[in-house]
Amino acid sequence: RLREINELSRLREEAKLAEPRLASLRDFFPKRDELFTFSDDLQSLASSNNLGLSFSFGGEEKGESGKPGRADFTGTVQGGYPGILEFIQGLEELDYLANLVSFDIIAEGNNRYNATLKGEIFFSD
């Protein structure tokens, strides 16, 4: 029993040390309300690559037990092939944790392409 009391005491001390680190991890994910700037950032990225963009959020799952929430999104960009590649690479540089699930690029002729991107973005509540 004495060993269990000592172990409990040690765990409480370690929890105190871990709390600031846990708070910084929670702050890593944007708040759900801050996701509206994601579409603005995508629009800026598309504009800088001479692309047209249509964007929409899909379903979302609320985070449980300290886990982040997740929202689906779909974006369609139209323009030149190099611009579309730059756009996709630029997604990694945005200040969001987003996962690109799939994308399709279709040639429309005259060096114009249409790319549909589907992904998910993570947030905290």
Side-chain angles (χ1 to χ4, degrees), residues 27-48:
D27 291 340
F28 176 76
F29 295 103
K31 300 289 184 209
R32 183 179 178 270
D33 295 343
E34 296 171 356
L35 291 184
F36 292 108
T37 61
F38 180 61
S39 62
D40 294 338
D41 292 342
L42 288 181
Q43 185 63 51
S44 295
L45 183 60
S47 294
S48 68

Side-chain angles (χ1 to χ4, degrees), residues 71-113:
D72 297 329
F73 68 87
T74 301
T76 303
V77 290
Q78 304 86 24
Y81 190 75
I84 291 174
L85 293 180
E86 288 292 325
F87 179 84
I88 293 170
Q89 290 174 344
L91 289 173
E92 294 179 359
E93 297 174 16
L94 296 178
D95 291 333
Y96 303 94
L97 184 58
N99 180 33
L100 192 57
V101 176
S102 68
F103 66 92
D104 294 316
I105 300 176
I106 299 170
E108 293 184 338
N110 295 336
N111 295 322
R112 303 266 316 154
Y113 294 85

Side-chain angles (χ1 to χ4, degrees), residues 55-68:
F55 175 85
S56 65
F57 281 110
E60 81 176 43
E61 291 180 13
K62 192 172 186 178
E64 296 178 8
S65 303
K67 293 183 179 179

